[in-house]
Amino acid sequence: MLDHLIFALSAALAQVLTNLDNLAALIALMLVSGAARSVVGFLLAQLLMLAAAMGVAFGVSDAVPHWAGYLGVFPLGLGLWGLWRQFSVRSDAPSSPLPAGASVLVTTLLFLSLSVDSFMVMAPLLADSAPSYRIAGLIGAVLAVCALAVLALAGARATGAAERIARRMERIVPYVMICAGIYILSNSWTDVVQ
């Protein structure tokens, strides 16, 4: 039971750290489009992404169970690319990516596009794990998404400080993805195939 709890916490931490860009965008978007529409779009996008990650996990483990661990190449590669971009490219993104009247659908699509890194970590992590660990990881990730939404609602009141903190924390995302890729590539205690 303790190992399931630790795996759930690991999945929650991976979900939080790969969603720092979403958190910054959510806080900025809440000021422009309103809190309810922005949070609903964020939650829908994250639930769709987690459902897709779980679908990939079940599909890969059923179709090619011995190859599931090699999916760790994707977060590892994305993390290395993010690390390279972090040190070679300087960009200042606008604080609001959508116009003021953005609908829930458009907001959901924005957050889906920002969730590729989360998908690249969660799908291999869940695919390379035994079914009971998948459920624990999914529960941890869903709780993390809910916590991020609550944090964004609180952070919208202190916009400047929250956005600065989220942007600084965003710098560790490539390291998280590299660690997740290495973890998935290694033969770990949560693997489907021992």
PDB file of all heavy atoms in Angstrom, residues 24-58:
ATOM      1  N   ALA A  24       0.751  29.115 -15.287  1.00  0.00           N
ATOM      2  CA  ALA A  24       1.006  30.523 -15.614  1.00  0.00           C
ATOM      3  C   ALA A  24      -0.021  31.038 -16.630  1.00  0.00           C
ATOM      4  O   ALA A  24      -0.557  32.141 -16.480  1.00  0.00           O
ATOM      5  CB  ALA A  24       2.423  30.692 -16.156  1.00  0.00           C
ATOM      6  N   ALA A  25      -0.313  30.219 -17.653  1.00  0.00           N
ATOM      7  CA  ALA A  25      -1.304  30.618 -18.650  1.00  0.00           C
ATOM      8  C   ALA A  25      -2.696  30.710 -18.032  1.00  0.00           C
ATOM      9  O   ALA A  25      -3.475  31.613 -18.359  1.00  0.00           O
ATOM     10  CB  ALA A  25      -1.314  29.622 -19.804  1.00  0.00           C
ATOM     11  N   LEU A  26      -3.016  29.787 -17.121  1.00  0.00           N
ATOM     12  CA  LEU A  26      -4.327  29.802 -16.473  1.00  0.00           C
ATOM     13  C   LEU A  26      -4.522  31.057 -15.640  1.00  0.00           C
ATOM     14  O   LEU A  26      -5.576  31.697 -15.703  1.00  0.00           O
ATOM     15  CB  LEU A  26      -4.499  28.549 -15.604  1.00  0.00           C
ATOM     16  CG  LEU A  26      -5.804  28.414 -14.835  1.00  0.00           C
ATOM     17  CD1 LEU A  26      -7.008  28.432 -15.766  1.00  0.00           C
ATOM     18  CD2 LEU A  26      -5.789  27.134 -13.998  1.00  0.00           C
ATOM     19  N   ILE A  27      -3.513  31.435 -14.893  1.00  0.00           N
ATOM     20  CA  ILE A  27      -3.617  32.640 -14.060  1.00  0.00           C
ATOM     21  C   ILE A  27      -3.812  33.874 -14.936  1.00  0.00           C
ATOM     22  O   ILE A  27      -4.668  34.715 -14.674  1.00  0.00           O
ATOM     23  CB  ILE A  27      -2.380  32.779 -13.148  1.00  0.00           C
ATOM     24  CG1 ILE A  27      -2.403  31.687 -12.083  1.00  0.00           C
ATOM     25  CG2 ILE A  27      -2.331  34.159 -12.499  1.00  0.00           C
ATOM     26  CD1 ILE A  27      -1.138  31.577 -11.266  1.00  0.00           C
ATOM     27  N   ALA A  28      -3.029  33.965 -16.015  1.00  0.00           N
ATOM     28  CA  ALA A  28      -3.165  35.108 -16.919  1.00  0.00           C
ATOM     29  C   ALA A  28      -4.518  35.096 -17.614  1.00  0.00           C
ATOM     30  O   ALA A  28      -5.168  36.135 -17.762  1.00  0.00           O
ATOM     31  CB  ALA A  28      -2.040  35.082 -17.943  1.00  0.00           C
ATOM     32  N   LEU A  29      -4.972  33.931 -18.028  1.00  0.00           N
ATOM     33  CA  LEU A  29      -6.239  33.810 -18.746  1.00  0.00           C
ATOM     34  C   LEU A  29      -7.432  34.114 -17.842  1.00  0.00           C
ATOM     35  O   LEU A  29      -8.441  34.652 -18.307  1.00  0.00           O
ATOM     36  CB  LEU A  29      -6.355  32.402 -19.320  1.00  0.00           C
ATOM     37  CG  LEU A  29      -7.371  32.185 -20.408  1.00  0.00           C
ATOM     38  CD1 LEU A  29      -7.083  33.084 -21.595  1.00  0.00           C
ATOM     39  CD2 LEU A  29      -7.340  30.730 -20.845  1.00  0.00           C
ATOM     40  N   MET A  30      -7.316  33.787 -16.571  1.00  0.00           N
ATOM     41  CA  MET A  30      -8.406  34.064 -15.640  1.00  0.00           C
ATOM     42  C   MET A  30      -8.671  35.559 -15.527  1.00  0.00           C
ATOM     43  O   MET A  30      -9.813  35.978 -15.351  1.00  0.00           O
ATOM     44  CB  MET A  30      -8.095  33.478 -14.259  1.00  0.00           C
ATOM     45  CG  MET A  30      -8.271  31.973 -14.228  1.00  0.00           C
ATOM     46  SD  MET A  30      -7.688  31.162 -12.726  1.00  0.00           S
ATOM     47  CE  MET A  30      -8.307  32.179 -11.441  1.00  0.00           C
ATOM     48  N   LEU A  31      -7.632  36.346 -15.645  1.00  0.00           N
ATOM     49  CA  LEU A  31      -7.796  37.798 -15.563  1.00  0.00           C
ATOM     50  C   LEU A  31      -8.478  38.355 -16.805  1.00  0.00           C
ATOM     51  O   LEU A  31      -9.163  39.367 -16.742  1.00  0.00           O
ATOM     52  CB  LEU A  31      -6.439  38.469 -15.365  1.00  0.00           C
ATOM     53  CG  LEU A  31      -5.722  38.095 -14.071  1.00  0.00           C
ATOM     54  CD1 LEU A  31      -4.327  38.686 -14.050  1.00  0.00           C
ATOM     55  CD2 LEU A  31      -6.529  38.569 -12.876  1.00  0.00           C
ATOM     56  N   VAL A  32      -8.290  37.681 -17.940  1.00  0.00           N
ATOM     57  CA  VAL A  32      -8.827  38.169 -19.204  1.00  0.00           C
ATOM     58  C   VAL A  32     -10.205  37.589 -19.493  1.00  0.00           C
ATOM     59  O   VAL A  32     -11.128  38.308 -19.859  1.00  0.00           O
ATOM     60  CB  VAL A  32      -7.848  37.837 -20.355  1.00  0.00           C
ATOM     61  CG1 VAL A  32      -8.419  38.238 -21.683  1.00  0.00           C
ATOM     62  CG2 VAL A  32      -6.517  38.512 -20.114  1.00  0.00           C
ATOM     63  N   SER A  33     -10.354  36.271 -19.330  1.00  0.00           N
ATOM     64  CA  SER A  33     -11.590  35.586 -19.729  1.00  0.00           C
ATOM     65  C   SER A  33     -12.499  35.224 -18.571  1.00  0.00           C
ATOM     66  O   SER A  33     -13.581  34.696 -18.802  1.00  0.00           O
ATOM     67  CB  SER A  33     -11.242  34.303 -20.495  1.00  0.00           C
ATOM     68  OG  SER A  33     -10.625  34.621 -21.700  1.00  0.00           O
ATOM     69  N   GLY A  34     -12.068  35.420 -17.369  1.00  0.00           N
ATOM     70  CA  GLY A  34     -12.885  35.044 -16.226  1.00  0.00           C
ATOM     71  C   GLY A  34     -12.449  33.719 -15.632  1.00  0.00           C
ATOM     72  O   GLY A  34     -11.970  32.829 -16.332  1.00  0.00           O
ATOM     73  N   ALA A  35     -12.642  33.585 -14.340  1.00  0.00           N
ATOM     74  CA  ALA A  35     -12.152  32.413 -13.614  1.00  0.00           C
ATOM     75  C   ALA A  35     -12.895  31.139 -13.997  1.00  0.00           C
ATOM     76  O   ALA A  35     -12.273  30.106 -14.245  1.00  0.00           O
ATOM     77  CB  ALA A  35     -12.250  32.654 -12.113  1.00  0.00           C
ATOM     78  N   ALA A  36     -14.213  31.179 -14.047  1.00  0.00           N
ATOM     79  CA  ALA A  36     -14.994  29.955 -14.279  1.00  0.00           C
ATOM     80  C   ALA A  36     -14.668  29.322 -15.624  1.00  0.00           C
ATOM     81  O   ALA A  36     -14.373  28.127 -15.719  1.00  0.00           O
ATOM     82  CB  ALA A  36     -16.479  30.259 -14.186  1.00  0.00           C
ATOM     83  N   ARG A  37     -14.701  30.103 -16.681  1.00  0.00           N
ATOM     84  CA  ARG A  37     -14.434  29.588 -18.025  1.00  0.00           C
ATOM     85  C   ARG A  37     -13.014  29.044 -18.139  1.00  0.00           C
ATOM     86  O   ARG A  37     -12.785  27.981 -18.718  1.00  0.00           O
ATOM     87  CB  ARG A  37     -14.654  30.715 -19.027  1.00  0.00           C
ATOM     88  CG  ARG A  37     -14.757  30.254 -20.435  1.00  0.00           C
ATOM     89  CD  ARG A  37     -15.036  31.372 -21.387  1.00  0.00           C
ATOM     90  NE  ARG A  37     -15.876  32.412 -20.798  1.00  0.00           N
ATOM     91  CZ  ARG A  37     -16.221  33.518 -21.415  1.00  0.00           C
ATOM     92  NH1 ARG A  37     -15.814  33.743 -22.635  1.00  0.00           N
ATOM     93  NH2 ARG A  37     -16.977  34.421 -20.839  1.00  0.00           N
ATOM     94  N   SER A  38     -12.058  29.755 -17.577  1.00  0.00           N
ATOM     95  CA  SER A  38     -10.660  29.336 -17.659  1.00  0.00           C
ATOM     96  C   SER A  38     -10.407  28.046 -16.886  1.00  0.00           C
ATOM     97  O   SER A  38      -9.744  27.134 -17.388  1.00  0.00           O
ATOM     98  CB  SER A  38      -9.755  30.443 -17.117  1.00  0.00           C
ATOM     99  OG  SER A  38      -9.950  31.626 -17.849  1.00  0.00           O
ATOM    100  N   VAL A  39     -10.927  27.952 -15.675  1.00  0.00           N
ATOM    101  CA  VAL A  39     -10.706  26.763 -14.840  1.00  0.00           C
ATOM    102  C   VAL A  39     -11.415  25.550 -15.442  1.00  0.00           C
ATOM    103  O   VAL A  39     -10.854  24.443 -15.465  1.00  0.00           O
ATOM    104  CB  VAL A  39     -11.141  27.017 -13.378  1.00  0.00           C
ATOM    105  CG1 VAL A  39     -11.145  25.738 -12.574  1.00  0.00           C
ATOM    106  CG2 VAL A  39     -10.217  28.035 -12.729  1.00  0.00           C
ATOM    107  N   VAL A  40     -12.620  25.727 -15.958  1.00  0.00           N
ATOM    108  CA  VAL A  40     -13.334  24.608 -16.593  1.00  0.00           C
ATOM    109  C   VAL A  40     -12.558  24.118 -17.810  1.00  0.00           C
ATOM    110  O   VAL A  40     -12.388  22.903 -18.009  1.00  0.00           O
ATOM    111  CB  VAL A  40     -14.777  25.013 -16.961  1.00  0.00           C
ATOM    112  CG1 VAL A  40     -15.409  23.986 -17.884  1.00  0.00           C
ATOM    113  CG2 VAL A  40     -15.614  25.184 -15.709  1.00  0.00           C
ATOM    114  N   GLY A  41     -12.054  25.023 -18.620  1.00  0.00           N
ATOM    115  CA  GLY A  41     -11.249  24.631 -19.782  1.00  0.00           C
ATOM    116  C   GLY A  41      -9.983  23.902 -19.379  1.00  0.00           C
ATOM    117  O   GLY A  41      -9.608  22.896 -19.991  1.00  0.00           O
ATOM    118  N   PHE A  42      -9.329  24.389 -18.336  1.00  0.00           N
ATOM    119  CA  PHE A  42      -8.116  23.735 -17.832  1.00  0.00           C
ATOM    120  C   PHE A  42      -8.421  22.325 -17.334  1.00  0.00           C
ATOM    121  O   PHE A  42      -7.721  21.365 -17.685  1.00  0.00           O
ATOM    122  CB  PHE A  42      -7.513  24.579 -16.704  1.00  0.00           C
ATOM    123  CG  PHE A  42      -6.400  23.899 -15.963  1.00  0.00           C
ATOM    124  CD1 PHE A  42      -5.146  23.782 -16.535  1.00  0.00           C
ATOM    125  CD2 PHE A  42      -6.605  23.375 -14.699  1.00  0.00           C
ATOM    126  CE1 PHE A  42      -4.109  23.159 -15.854  1.00  0.00           C
ATOM    127  CE2 PHE A  42      -5.584  22.757 -14.008  1.00  0.00           C
ATOM    128  CZ  PHE A  42      -4.333  22.639 -14.591  1.00  0.00           C
ATOM    129  N   LEU A  43      -9.464  22.194 -16.520  1.00  0.00           N
ATOM    130  CA  LEU A  43      -9.816  20.879 -15.969  1.00  0.00           C
ATOM    131  C   LEU A  43     -10.219  19.904 -17.073  1.00  0.00           C
ATOM    132  O   LEU A  43      -9.812  18.731 -17.051  1.00  0.00           O
ATOM    133  CB  LEU A  43     -10.930  21.017 -14.931  1.00  0.00           C
ATOM    134  CG  LEU A  43     -10.532  21.685 -13.611  1.00  0.00           C
ATOM    135  CD1 LEU A  43     -11.755  21.923 -12.743  1.00  0.00           C
ATOM    136  CD2 LEU A  43      -9.490  20.872 -12.875  1.00  0.00           C
ATOM    137  N   LEU A  44     -11.012  20.351 -18.035  1.00  0.00           N
ATOM    138  CA  LEU A  44     -11.397  19.479 -19.156  1.00  0.00           C
ATOM    139  C   LEU A  44     -10.179  19.003 -19.944  1.00  0.00           C
ATOM    140  O   LEU A  44     -10.068  17.825 -20.282  1.00  0.00           O
ATOM    141  CB  LEU A  44     -12.363  20.201 -20.092  1.00  0.00           C
ATOM    142  CG  LEU A  44     -13.818  20.274 -19.661  1.00  0.00           C
ATOM    143  CD1 LEU A  44     -14.603  21.159 -20.621  1.00  0.00           C
ATOM    144  CD2 LEU A  44     -14.427  18.889 -19.607  1.00  0.00           C
ATOM    145  N   ALA A  45      -9.272  19.929 -20.211  1.00  0.00           N
ATOM    146  CA  ALA A  45      -8.072  19.573 -20.969  1.00  0.00           C
ATOM    147  C   ALA A  45      -7.226  18.550 -20.217  1.00  0.00           C
ATOM    148  O   ALA A  45      -6.748  17.574 -20.802  1.00  0.00           O
ATOM    149  CB  ALA A  45      -7.250  20.826 -21.277  1.00  0.00           C
ATOM    150  N   GLN A  46      -7.067  18.754 -18.925  1.00  0.00           N
ATOM    151  CA  GLN A  46      -6.245  17.835 -18.152  1.00  0.00           C
ATOM    152  C   GLN A  46      -6.892  16.460 -18.029  1.00  0.00           C
ATOM    153  O   GLN A  46      -6.215  15.433 -18.093  1.00  0.00           O
ATOM    154  CB  GLN A  46      -5.952  18.412 -16.763  1.00  0.00           C
ATOM    155  CG  GLN A  46      -5.116  19.664 -16.797  1.00  0.00           C
ATOM    156  CD  GLN A  46      -3.854  19.488 -17.610  1.00  0.00           C
ATOM    157  OE1 GLN A  46      -3.059  18.594 -17.364  1.00  0.00           O
ATOM    158  NE2 GLN A  46      -3.671  20.328 -18.619  1.00  0.00           N
ATOM    159  N   LEU A  47      -8.209  16.423 -17.859  1.00  0.00           N
ATOM    160  CA  LEU A  47      -8.897  15.134 -17.775  1.00  0.00           C
ATOM    161  C   LEU A  47      -8.844  14.393 -19.110  1.00  0.00           C
ATOM    162  O   LEU A  47      -8.657  13.167 -19.141  1.00  0.00           O
ATOM    163  CB  LEU A  47     -10.330  15.325 -17.296  1.00  0.00           C
ATOM    164  CG  LEU A  47     -10.470  15.805 -15.836  1.00  0.00           C
ATOM    165  CD1 LEU A  47     -11.925  16.044 -15.496  1.00  0.00           C
ATOM    166  CD2 LEU A  47      -9.838  14.830 -14.873  1.00  0.00           C
ATOM    167  N   LEU A  48      -8.982  15.128 -20.230  1.00  0.00           N
ATOM    168  CA  LEU A  48      -8.851  14.505 -21.547  1.00  0.00           C
ATOM    169  C   LEU A  48      -7.441  13.962 -21.754  1.00  0.00           C
ATOM    170  O   LEU A  48      -7.251  12.852 -22.273  1.00  0.00           O
ATOM    171  CB  LEU A  48      -9.195  15.505 -22.654  1.00  0.00           C
ATOM    172  CG  LEU A  48     -10.667  15.830 -22.839  1.00  0.00           C
ATOM    173  CD1 LEU A  48     -10.832  17.003 -23.809  1.00  0.00           C
ATOM    174  CD2 LEU A  48     -11.415  14.614 -23.342  1.00  0.00           C
ATOM    175  N   MET A  49      -6.440  14.738 -21.345  1.00  0.00           N
ATOM    176  CA  MET A  49      -5.052  14.307 -21.494  1.00  0.00           C
ATOM    177  C   MET A  49      -4.774  13.063 -20.655  1.00  0.00           C
ATOM    178  O   MET A  49      -4.136  12.116 -21.118  1.00  0.00           O
ATOM    179  CB  MET A  49      -4.120  15.460 -21.096  1.00  0.00           C
ATOM    180  CG  MET A  49      -2.636  15.162 -21.260  1.00  0.00           C
ATOM    181  SD  MET A  49      -1.830  14.311 -19.879  1.00  0.00           S
ATOM    182  CE  MET A  49      -2.217  15.364 -18.521  1.00  0.00           C
ATOM    183  N   LEU A  50      -5.274  13.031 -19.420  1.00  0.00           N
ATOM    184  CA  LEU A  50      -5.055  11.864 -18.556  1.00  0.00           C
ATOM    185  C   LEU A  50      -5.806  10.639 -19.077  1.00  0.00           C
ATOM    186  O   LEU A  50      -5.294   9.517 -19.006  1.00  0.00           O
ATOM    187  CB  LEU A  50      -5.458  12.181 -17.117  1.00  0.00           C
ATOM    188  CG  LEU A  50      -4.506  13.121 -16.374  1.00  0.00           C
ATOM    189  CD1 LEU A  50      -5.092  13.542 -15.042  1.00  0.00           C
ATOM    190  CD2 LEU A  50      -3.147  12.471 -16.190  1.00  0.00           C
ATOM    191  N   ALA A  51      -6.996  10.844 -19.619  1.00  0.00           N
ATOM    192  CA  ALA A  51      -7.736   9.721 -20.212  1.00  0.00           C
ATOM    193  C   ALA A  51      -6.985   9.171 -21.420  1.00  0.00           C
ATOM    194  O   ALA A  51      -6.890   7.944 -21.602  1.00  0.00           O
ATOM    195  CB  ALA A  51      -9.146  10.167 -20.610  1.00  0.00           C
ATOM    196  N   ALA A  52      -6.426  10.053 -22.239  1.00  0.00           N
ATOM    197  CA  ALA A  52      -5.642   9.601 -23.391  1.00  0.00           C
ATOM    198  C   ALA A  52      -4.377   8.872 -22.943  1.00  0.00           C
ATOM    199  O   ALA A  52      -4.001   7.852 -23.527  1.00  0.00           O
ATOM    200  CB  ALA A  52      -5.280  10.798 -24.280  1.00  0.00           C
ATOM    201  N   ALA A  53      -3.734   9.380 -21.897  1.00  0.00           N
ATOM    202  CA  ALA A  53      -2.534   8.720 -21.372  1.00  0.00           C
ATOM    203  C   ALA A  53      -2.869   7.327 -20.848  1.00  0.00           C
ATOM    204  O   ALA A  53      -2.119   6.372 -21.074  1.00  0.00           O
ATOM    205  CB  ALA A  53      -1.904   9.569 -20.270  1.00  0.00           C
ATOM    206  N   MET A  54      -4.004   7.205 -20.171  1.00  0.00           N
ATOM    207  CA  MET A  54      -4.419   5.898 -19.661  1.00  0.00           C
ATOM    208  C   MET A  54      -4.776   4.970 -20.826  1.00  0.00           C
ATOM    209  O   MET A  54      -4.455   3.782 -20.792  1.00  0.00           O
ATOM    210  CB  MET A  54      -5.597   6.045 -18.708  1.00  0.00           C
ATOM    211  CG  MET A  54      -5.946   4.763 -17.992  1.00  0.00           C
ATOM    212  SD  MET A  54      -4.635   4.129 -16.940  1.00  0.00           S
ATOM    213  CE  MET A  54      -5.196   4.654 -15.361  1.00  0.00           C
ATOM    214  N   GLY A  55      -5.417   5.507 -21.862  1.00  0.00           N
ATOM    215  CA  GLY A  55      -5.729   4.706 -23.039  1.00  0.00           C
ATOM    216  C   GLY A  55      -4.470   4.188 -23.721  1.00  0.00           C
ATOM    217  O   GLY A  55      -4.395   3.020 -24.113  1.00  0.00           O
ATOM    218  N   VAL A  56      -3.466   5.041 -23.847  1.00  0.00           N
ATOM    219  CA  VAL A  56      -2.190   4.622 -24.422  1.00  0.00           C
ATOM    220  C   VAL A  56      -1.547   3.564 -23.532  1.00  0.00           C
ATOM    221  O   VAL A  56      -1.008   2.564 -24.016  1.00  0.00           O
ATOM    222  CB  VAL A  56      -1.243   5.830 -24.612  1.00  0.00           C
ATOM    223  CG1 VAL A  56       0.180   5.383 -24.884  1.00  0.00           C
ATOM    224  CG2 VAL A  56      -1.741   6.723 -25.724  1.00  0.00           C
ATOM    225  N   ALA A  57      -1.627   3.759 -22.221  1.00  0.00           N
ATOM    226  CA  ALA A  57      -1.035   2.799 -21.287  1.00  0.00           C
ATOM    227  C   ALA A  57      -1.641   1.418 -21.450  1.00  0.00           C
ATOM    228  O   ALA A  57      -0.918   0.417 -21.537  1.00  0.00           O
ATOM    229  CB  ALA A  57      -1.212   3.287 -19.850  1.00  0.00           C
ATOM    230  N   PHE A  58      -2.953   1.344 -21.532  1.00  0.00           N
ATOM    231  CA  PHE A  58      -3.603   0.047 -21.695  1.00  0.00           C
ATOM    232  C   PHE A  58      -3.337  -0.531 -23.085  1.00  0.00           C
ATOM    233  O   PHE A  58      -3.123  -1.730 -23.232  1.00  0.00           O
ATOM    234  CB  PHE A  58      -5.107   0.147 -21.431  1.00  0.00           C
ATOM    235  CG  PHE A  58      -5.436   0.162 -19.975  1.00  0.00           C
ATOM    236  CD1 PHE A  58      -6.065   1.263 -19.413  1.00  0.00           C
ATOM    237  CD2 PHE A  58      -5.125  -0.910 -19.156  1.00  0.00           C
ATOM    238  CE1 PHE A  58      -6.373   1.288 -18.063  1.00  0.00           C
ATOM    239  CE2 PHE A  58      -5.431  -0.901 -17.804  1.00  0.00           C
ATOM    240  CZ  PHE A  58      -6.052   0.206 -17.254  1.00  0.00           C
TER     241      PHE A  58
END
